[in-house]
Amino acid sequence: MTEKELNIKFREYSSIDELPKEDQELAHAAIEAMKGSYAPYSHFNVGAALRLGNGLIVKGANQENNAYPSGLCAERTAMFWAGANYPDEDMVSIAIAGGKEGKIEEAPATPCGSCRQVMAQYQLKSGRPMSVIMIGSRQIWKFDRVDDILPLIFDSI
Ligand code: THU
């Protein structure tokens, strides 16, 4: 038996202004995207902003449904829309912001497992890393690739 350890490096910023310029723009877009959230059941409003290879920013927000599993997270709303409308563009970076009743907490809201899996698939499709930025009011976390938030990604290809 050998004991192994997985190490994950990420950067923590204390405000959006500390981020590189392009990420600042994406972070603000994610917060803006929260306005599109439709969350009558959880009251947890989430916005996502996705930067494509051509520089375009695509926004998504969680959409809930009376039949709960029919709803969708903000991240997947953005990624599926981009995948459907810009199938040839890489997904370079995604920023996520959210909170109960639209209030962003100090520590970031983090993406669910299904969204991480979908991020992994588009990263695989593009063949280049997708960075993930999670926005809190006092902590902003940036991961350089999806592997860092989904270690040991399933890959059958
Ligand atoms: N939600 C997201 O939009 N993204 C995530 O990564 C986590 C959860 C949404 C789903 C649901 O509408 C609400 O937040 C509460 O779970």
Side-chain angles (χ1 to χ4, degrees), residues 14-138:
S14 53
S15 84
I16 289 176
D17 302 340
E18 277 183 16
L19 287 165
K21 271 272 170 291
E22 282 212 326
D23 293 341
Q24 286 184 27
E25 189 189 14
L26 204 62
H28 287 301
I31 294 168
E32 174 76 20
M34 287 170 67
K35 289 182 188 156
S37 164
Y38 175 56
Y41 304 104
S42 72
H43 302 279
F44 197 92
N45 304 107
V46 187
L50 179 65
R51 187 180 292 283
L52 304 183
N54 62 4
L56 197 78
I57 292 177
V58 165
K59 288 191 270 190
N62 57 328
Q63 305 296 313
E64 295 185 352
N65 193 279
N66 207 345
Y68 290 5
S70 301
L72 197 64
C73 291
E75 299 91 318
R76 275 177 287 163
T77 306
M79 288 187 282
F80 289 155
W81 192 88
N85 289 285
Y86 294 92
D88 299 326
E89 292 297 332
D90 295 342
M91 298 186 194
V92 177
S93 191
I94 188 164
I96 302 130
K100 196 87 181 164
E101 311 291 356
K103 187 184 177 300
I104 297 173
E105 298 292 334
E106 291 191 6
T110 56
C112 79
S114 297
C115 287
R116 293 176 199 213
Q117 183 64 38
V118 171
M119 288 173 197
Q121 183 73 31
Y122 285 119
Q123 180 178 264
L124 193 68
K125 182 185 177 211
S126 74
R128 64 190 269 199
M130 185 195 303
S131 61
V132 184
I133 301 161
M134 303 172 194
I135 300 154
S137 63
R138 300 190 70 152

